[in-house]
Amino acid sequence: MENKANDVTKMTALLAATLAAFLVPFMGSSLNVALPTIGNEFAADAILLSWISASFLLASAIFTLPFGRIADIYGLKRIFTCGIITYTVFSFLSGTAPSAMSLIIFRAFQGIGASMMFGTGVAILTSVFPLAERGKALGINLAGVYFGLSIGPFLGGIMTQYLGWRSIFFLNVLLGVIVISFVILRLKGEWAECMGEKFDLKSAVVYSFTLLLLMYGFSSLPGTLGIILTVMGIIGIIVFILVDTKVDNPLLDMDLFLKNKVFALSNLAALINYSTTTGAVFLLSLYLQYILGYTPQKAGLVLLPLPLIMVIVSPIAGELSDKIDPRILASVGMALTAVGLSFFSYVGFFTALPYVIAGQLVLGSGFALFSSPNTNAIMGSVKKRNYGVASATASTMRLSGQVLSFGIIILIFSLLIGKVQITPDTYFNLLGSIRVAFKVFAVACFMGILTTAYGKISSI
């Protein structure tokens, strides 16, 4: 009877976490296709358009780790539920935004809600699934992410073309209500391995402010303000480490990085991987609609192979990581990702469609082969009491990488295009910017192979 109850808990947790995992990438990938339409409605330049995505990622990155620690203390399910509610409310407000700036602000609050889910969903799965089944569960969870990425561009393109871009947010509201009802009514139990411990507010404030300075500063380079904020952010990291190591219940146990090589290197690999891949769909969406002249619907259809191959490969990669050292799989995935990114550094005004599709298949296969084994390696390297923080740390690396990715794009756009609205007169510079961005991402990803390989070699 107890085993049956455990099986129900596992399946319910998997469904709840996977449904929530679907929401955010579905929103993001749908919105990428809609950004040119939003830019036309609000007369927004390329940099402002980038911030519609970057504000969400920045807010998520800032709050994921603090909420991960809060979840370990007060309960994973409680914070998970609060996150879905917050995300749904600000999805509605984003759909009613009267300007690009208000949309950026609402997206930031939407990102705060998402940060509560990021720091808890994987932790709940890790808590209820035994080690032998964990990789498969994480693979299924990531398949939900990739399904959101898959259907997002296609459905988002259709909705943008026929119902307007605001309909994307309202659909997210409906999906959010479904997930809220599912979690509240069906997911039983609570997980709080650090109940009774104190939350270190001082470290949380220093951490959040530091990340804000660092991420916003980097996105403002090469200007003077960007340099100042980036330097202040680096100083803030040092201050955070000094503060966090002197408290009894730290926000982030630094021993996880200093004494756990697998945890440290796997997180660094995640940071590199996501910083090189996140901006790919955004860049391809601009390329297909501005350079090749595709409609939002057609662009969404062309972008379908990338996340679709992720849906197929991710569960397989997750299950393999239960049998093969996940760091080996992650290294192979990182290599394929680098090759896939290299494809798009050579696109032009007359690039054939099969070339674009082939590049997506290679990139998607590599990304899926990296992600679930990398997550399995991170979660399998820590004790149960650190699941919330470990999950949140992995999510923070992912989100920081995503923000960094858009920071690199914003920097390249600032240097090569400038703060002007995208018109046919700027298409040549836009194409050049897209090529440069993919070259930078490919080089960084090739360097990231050394990180995952070293993590394996150093443990032998």
Side-chain angles (χ1 to χ4, degrees):
M1 192 71 178
E2 184 177 346
N3 289 336
K4 186 175 181 180
N6 288 337
D7 288 342
V8 171
T9 299
K10 286 191 292 186
M11 291 302 103
T12 304
L14 181 59
L15 285 171
T18 302
L19 284 171
F22 166 85
L23 274 178
V24 176
F26 171 72
M27 175 79 262
S29 60
S30 299
L31 198 61
N32 278 331
V33 177
L35 283 176
T37 302
I38 296 173
N40 292 335
E41 179 173 329
F42 292 140
D45 56 64
I47 297 174
L48 199 61
L49 280 181
S50 300
W51 271 108
I52 292 175
S53 295
S55 63
F56 174 90
L57 296 172
L58 180 59
S60 298
I62 289 172
F63 288 98
T64 291
L65 184 57
F67 277 123
R69 174 60 180 162
I70 290 172
D72 277 337
I73 297 173
Y74 297 103
L76 296 174
K77 177 188 170 184
R78 182 175 298 168
I79 302 304
F80 183 76
T81 305
C82 290
I84 297 173
I85 293 172
T86 303
Y87 178 88
T88 302
V89 169
F90 282 96
S91 293
F92 175 78
L93 292 175
S94 295
T96 64
S99 66
M101 188 54 63
S102 62
L103 179 57
I104 290 172
I105 293 171
F106 291 146
R107 285 279 288 159
F109 280 99
Q110 194 184 31
I112 294 174
S115 71
M116 301 182 202
M117 295 188 284
F118 289 146
T120 53
V122 171
I124 290 174
L125 292 181
T126 309
S127 296
V128 300
F129 279 90
L131 183 60
E133 302 175 8
R134 189 176 300 156
K136 185 176 182 179
L138 292 174
I140 293 172
N141 182 254
L142 282 170
V145 173
Y146 299 144
F147 182 63
L149 289 171
S150 298
I151 198 173
F154 177 65
L155 188 57
I158 293 175
M159 294 176 69
T160 299
Q161 188 162 338
Y162 296 107
L163 301 175
W165 61 268
R166 297 177 189 273
S167 62
I168 295 173
F169 288 101
F170 296 137
L171 178 58
N172 259 255
V173 173
L174 175 61
L175 294 174
V177 170
I178 293 172
V179 177
I180 291 168
S181 302
F182 186 89
V183 172
I184 293 176
L185 296 176
R186 294 180 177 271
L187 184 58
K188 306 298 181 182
E190 184 57 279
W191 302 269
E193 295 294 327
C194 299
M195 185 177 293
E197 294 183 6
K198 293 183 178 179
F199 177 71
D200 184 19
L201 183 60
K202 184 188 296 185
S203 292
V205 171
V206 173
Y207 166 83
S208 298
F209 190 61
T210 294
L211 202 56
L212 176 62
L213 290 174
L214 198 59
M215 295 295 104
Y216 184 76
F218 186 84
S219 68
S220 300
L221 292 173
T224 302
L225 178 62
I227 296 173
I228 294 173
L229 293 179
T230 301
V231 172
M232 290 176 63
I234 294 172
I235 295 173
I237 292 175
I238 299 172
V239 173
F240 169 71
I241 293 173
L242 293 175
V243 171
D244 205 51
T245 52
K246 292 181 180 179
V247 297
D248 294 331
N249 300 300
L251 178 68
L252 176 61
D253 187 353
M254 298 308 298
D255 283 347
L256 290 176
F257 287 96
L258 299 176
K259 298 181 180 180
N260 189 334
K261 192 170 293 184
V262 174
F263 182 84
L265 291 176
S266 295
N267 272 289
L268 178 59
L271 177 67
I272 294 172
N273 189 270
Y274 281 95
S275 68
T276 60
T277 56
T278 300
V281 174
F282 171 74
L283 292 171
L284 286 174
S285 178
L286 296 184
Y287 171 72
L288 292 172
Q289 294 185 65
Y290 285 123
I291 306 302
L292 298 186
Y294 289 2
T295 64
Q297 180 181 353
K298 187 175 180 180
L301 185 61
V302 172
L303 290 172
L304 193 59
L306 176 61
L308 189 59
I309 194 67
M310 296 178 188
V311 174
I312 296 170
V313 175
S314 182
I316 299 172
E319 191 165 2
L320 283 175
S321 70
D322 287 330
K323 304 171 183 177
I324 303 173
D325 190 320
R327 288 166 291 176
I328 295 176
L329 295 173
S331 297
V332 175
M334 187 80 86
L336 281 176
T337 301
V339 173
L341 290 167
S342 300
F343 267 72
F344 299 114
S345 63
Y346 297 101
V347 293
F349 285 100
F350 304 103
T351 299
L353 186 57
Y355 182 88
V356 177
I357 294 174
Q360 290 183 74
L361 292 176
V362 176
L363 177 60
S365 297
F367 188 68
L369 197 59
F370 170 86
S371 296
S372 50
N374 176 259
T375 303
N376 199 7
I378 291 172
M379 299 304 296
S381 68
V382 300
K383 296 178 180 179
K384 191 172 183 179
R385 73 181 309 275
N386 294 126
Y387 280 170
V389 168
S391 173
T393 303
S395 295
T396 299
M397 291 299 108
R398 181 179 72 246
L399 291 163
S400 297
Q402 290 173 336
V403 175
L404 187 60
S405 186
F406 276 96
I408 293 170
I409 291 172
I410 291 171
L411 175 60
I412 292 172
F413 279 7
S414 298
L415 292 173
L416 301 184
I417 302 177
K419 198 172 183 179
V420 296
Q421 188 175 358
I422 299 175
T423 63
D425 293 336
T426 62
Y427 283 1
F428 183 81
N429 289 339
L430 175 62
L431 178 60
S433 300
I434 291 171
R435 287 171 171 171
V436 169
F438 275 116
K439 283 184 171 68
V440 171
F441 290 155
V443 170
C445 204
F446 273 118
M447 294 174 63
I449 299 171
L450 300 177
T451 304
T452 52
Y454 179 76
K456 170 61 181 170
I457 294 171
S458 63
S459 63
I460 296 176

